[in-house]
Structure formats: C-alpha cells, structure tokens
Amino acid sequence: MSPEQAIADVFGLYEQYGRADYIGEPVSQIEHMSQAAQRAMAEGFDDEVVLAAFFHDIGHLCGHGEENMGGYGVVSHERLGADYLRRAGFSERMAKLVEYHVQAKRYLTFSQPDYYARLSEASRRTLGYQGGVMSAAEAYAFEQDPLCAVSLRMRYWDEHAKEMQVPLLDLEGLKAKARRLLAA
C-alpha cells in the first residue's frame, strides 16, 4: 500500500465514523482522539507518539461491526488497531503504543489501588473485557518494556481526553506527520 493510500484509508475511518459517540463519554470518537494527540503535542513528544495518541482507539473504527464490550466498543480494539496500523505501514513502535494503552490501564489498576475509582464508568466496564487487573508477573514484565513510561503517559492522555467543546486538531497537520513517518 502506498503512503498516500494508507493515509486516505486511515483518515477515511475518522471521516466515516469519527463523529460517532465515544462509547458512553460526553465527546465523539474524533474529539477524544484529537484531545489525546493535543496532550502529546503539548508535552513535546515526537510525531510517532503524537500519532499513536491520535490513533490509540482506531480499533473501534476499523473493527466496526466486530464483537463489542457490552455496548462499550470493540473487544480487543487495541490489538485490532495496532494490527491495522502495521498493515498500513506504520512503525512497530507506534503499533505497540496503540496496543499498550489498554495494558497501561491494566497495569495502573494493579500498581495504584485508587486508580480504578478514578476511571470513568465506561473504562471500568471495559476493564473486564480487557483482561482485568494485571497480575504481579504481568506488571513486572510490562515495567521492563522500553515503551512502558510513554504508554503510561498515553493512558493519562486517554483518560483526560474527554472534555466537551475543545476544538479539533487540524487533520491536515496530522496527515503531514503521517506522510513523513510513512516516507521514512
């Protein structure tokens, strides 16, 4: 697939499904993902991380019609999204960051006893579908991963990207970032 075709396909999902309700939250899919990317940009992360933040829930869009989590989105959306991005030609690092945003939630519910109570209702309900709280062995393995720290930041952005009436990022700017990464 050419970079231009990949960009057309990936961003086409946002055009087709992005205005849909973000599964029990007060924002749309595209508002949520735009806010996550804005937070990554505000913290000075590189384009790969910014796009991973924007794409972190793309599995809900590309997995449209797949098994759902009791009305709260697509089961294994993190894996579906990561695999979709790999097929589109994006880096393994970006795909893993998309995949790890759920692992980060599972890790934080293990490592911070008060974390679960801070999750939105939708995030609490989906945790069971996502493997539940990590075991000590899973948490130790996750901590050893070089992407653990940025995955935990991404989880923070994910949780806080649910504010109403925040202007969307310019999608042309995100497409330009994607074009540069696919060309590299």
Side-chain angles (χ1 to χ4, degrees):
M1 176 182 317
S2 74
E4 283 308 313
Q5 185 60 54
I7 290 165
D9 289 356
V10 170
F11 284 90
L13 290 171
Y14 291 88
E15 292 163 13
Q16 188 172 1
Y17 302 113
R19 299 276 176 218
D21 172 57
Y22 178 58
I23 316 153
E25 303 290 359
V27 294
S28 68
Q29 294 274 355
I30 197 162
E31 287 171 321
H32 172 66
M33 293 192 247
S34 175
Q35 288 177 38
Q38 288 172 12
R39 289 176 176 278
M41 290 170 71
E43 291 185 27
F45 278 88
D46 62 74
D47 288 351
E48 215 168 33
V49 174
V50 169
L51 284 172
F54 184 73
F55 294 148
H56 78 275
D57 276 342
I58 199 167
H60 289 305
L61 307 181
C62 70
H64 197 73
E66 295 284 329
E67 180 186 359
N68 78 61
M69 299 180 283
Y72 288 96
V74 176
V75 172
S76 299
H77 77 282
E78 70 283 5
R79 184 184 43 74
L80 290 170
D83 288 346
Y84 178 81
L85 293 169
R86 286 180 184 106
R87 286 191 305 274
F90 288 100
S91 72
E92 185 61 19
R93 179 178 178 239
M94 184 188 297
K96 282 186 175 179
L97 286 170
V98 167
E99 197 160 4
Y100 286 1
H101 83 279
V102 167
Q103 298 307 313
K105 176 169 79 170
R106 294 183 61 228
Y107 172 82
L108 289 166
T109 55
F110 167 81
S111 65
Q112 297 179 10
D114 64 334
Y115 180 78
Y116 180 84
R118 294 193 317 258
L119 290 173
S120 70
E121 179 64 22
S123 284
R124 276 188 240 135
R125 288 187 178 243
T126 57
L127 182 62
Y129 288 96
Q130 297 166 334
V133 176
M134 274 189 176
S135 68
E138 288 173 317
Y140 177 77
F142 188 63
E143 290 168 345
Q144 307 316 303
D145 193 293
L147 295 176
C148 178
V150 71
S151 297
L152 296 175
R153 286 308 304 148
M154 208 154 105
R155 186 70 217 169
Y156 171 82
W157 305 327
D158 183 5
E159 289 161 12
H160 292 88
K162 299 171 184 176
E163 297 176 26
M164 294 171 49
Q165 300 177 1
V166 174
L168 292 179
L169 276 175
D170 173 23
L171 291 186
E172 291 307 313
L174 291 174
K175 287 178 184 178
K177 290 177 187 307
R179 205 169 278 116
R180 283 192 298 275
L181 291 174
L182 289 170

